[in-house]
Structures are given as C-alpha cells and as structure tokens.
Amino acid sequence: MRLVGLTGGIASGKSTVARMFAELGAPVIDADLLAREVVLPGTPGFAAVAARFPSVVKEGQLDRKALAALVFSDPAERAALNAIVHPLIGAAALARTAELAAAGAKAVLYEAALIVENNLDRGMQGLIVVRVAPEQQLQRLVAREGLSEAEARARLAAQASLEEKLRRATWVIDNGSDLAQTRAQVEAVWQQVLAGATAS
C-alpha cells in the first residue's frame, strides 16, 4: 500500500482538497480529527492535557480556542502540548493505516498540517503540498478564525515556510484560483498516486 502525505500551510485549503480526494474514492486519514479524538474526555490524552494546562478545562471539556491562544503565543507551551498529543496521534494513525491496508486499499492519504515540521514525509511514498499565495493565506486565516493580523502571523510563523514544504513536495496543488481548477489538479494527482501504487 502506498502512503502519501497531504499538507499545506494553515488556511491554504488543505481540508477542501482532502474532501475532493475523498470524493474520488481516496481513503483519507485526517490528523485533525485524530487530534480531537485522542483528547476526548475520559481518554488518557485528555487527562494529560488537563494536568499540564488546567486553565483550558471548562466544565469537563477542553476549551480548544483558549488552548490554541495559549500555545500559539508561547513556543515552549506549544512544544509541551505537542509532546503529549503527537505520539497519541501517531499511534492512532498507524492503527487506521493498518485497517485500510488489511481492507485492500492501494493508496492512503494522510492529511496533516505538520508533516514537514515533524519529518513524517521521510516514511511516506510521496507528499502532496497545497499552496496559495502568502497574502491570500493571511487574509483567509484572519477571516476564518476572527484573528487579528498579528495573531494570524504568529500562527503562520509556527509552521514551516511554504518554500520548505515545496522543496519536499512530490506534487503541488495550487489552490489560489477557482475550485474547478483545484479539482482538475486533484484528479490528475490522484491518478498518478494510484499509478505509482499499482507499479510498486
């Protein structure tokens, strides 16, 4: 089975592109979804995050906005959170990948924001990077999250640069135009991914 990463900067439209791949029949493992599952109330992940960041627990739930504001303003706090959740996400992703392989999937996409930052692409058979112009990315992030420009820039700075992601990319999907153009690129890339999975 071929495991291919799908990444892009925050507010680049990575989730939109992932949905397009899924509509073509691509099995997609969503790291954001796994990140939520591993810290649900009652899980070891929730207990660990609550113990380390007690101020973000409200009525037995994690206040995700408060947690994001805390960790994106302090690299040390972000590293502490990542040390808790990344191993849990990795274990959940491995389990899901094994399930899909057992079910006969030829290729699987792993959608995650921090593939390059965590060098996860080193163990994959390809990397798809979704890109938009930096100004467009900033505008989308401010509009989507209701952030100030300074807060948005802090979140962008917490990720690897677009240049670094593009250097590591096997395929690049430009999501700066209309959705029809994006979809055409997605279809072409998925055919190449499947062709490579069949050949290997």
Side-chain angles (χ1 to χ4, degrees):
M1 188 187 75
R2 195 175 195 194
L3 179 63
V4 173
L6 172 60
T7 195
I10 190 169
S12 62
K14 172 174 56 67
S15 296
T16 298
V17 168
R19 279 195 297 275
M20 290 179 180
F21 275 110
E23 287 164 8
L24 295 173
V28 179
I29 299 172
D30 181 347
D32 282 346
L33 192 59
L34 296 181
R36 289 175 181 274
E37 290 174 359
V38 300
V39 294
L40 286 172
T43 62
F46 176 87
V49 173
R52 178 62 180 77
F53 304 97
S55 67
V56 303
V57 179
K58 307 279 164 61
E59 299 174 2
Q61 303 278 340
L62 288 182
D63 182 337
R64 299 184 68 84
K65 278 204 158 182
L67 182 59
L70 178 66
V71 302
F72 281 111
S73 64
D74 187 332
E77 296 289 73
R78 190 163 63 250
L81 178 65
N82 289 345
I84 295 169
V85 298
H86 283 178
L88 298 172
I89 295 168
L94 279 175
R96 184 74 185 119
T97 303
E99 288 172 12
L100 289 166
K106 298 274 193 299
V108 171
L109 301 185
Y110 182 62
E111 177 201 349
L114 301 178
I115 288 177
V116 169
E117 290 81 348
N118 294 328
N119 289 313
L120 299 180
D121 54 311
R122 305 299 193 208
M124 296 176 174
Q125 290 77 57
L127 179 65
I128 303 163
V129 173
V130 181
R131 64 156 296 160
V132 294
E135 318 80 63
Q136 195 174 10
Q137 191 181 4
L138 180 65
Q139 289 166 4
R140 286 181 181 180
L141 184 56
V142 168
R144 188 183 79 186
E145 302 291 339
L147 302 172
S148 69
E149 187 172 320
E151 289 171 326
R153 289 189 186 281
R155 295 202 182 187
L156 291 171
Q159 297 188 336
S161 68
L162 178 61
E163 291 74 19
E164 175 63 17
K165 289 183 168 79
L166 293 176
R167 271 197 297 274
R168 307 258 283 261
T170 314
W171 300 276
V172 177
I173 292 176
D174 191 313
N175 191 35
S177 188
D178 63 86
L179 289 178
Q181 290 191 25
T182 300
R183 191 178 301 277
Q185 294 172 75
V186 167
E187 290 173 357
V189 169
W190 182 234
Q191 289 308 311
Q192 292 175 39
V193 169
L194 285 178
T198 306
S200 59

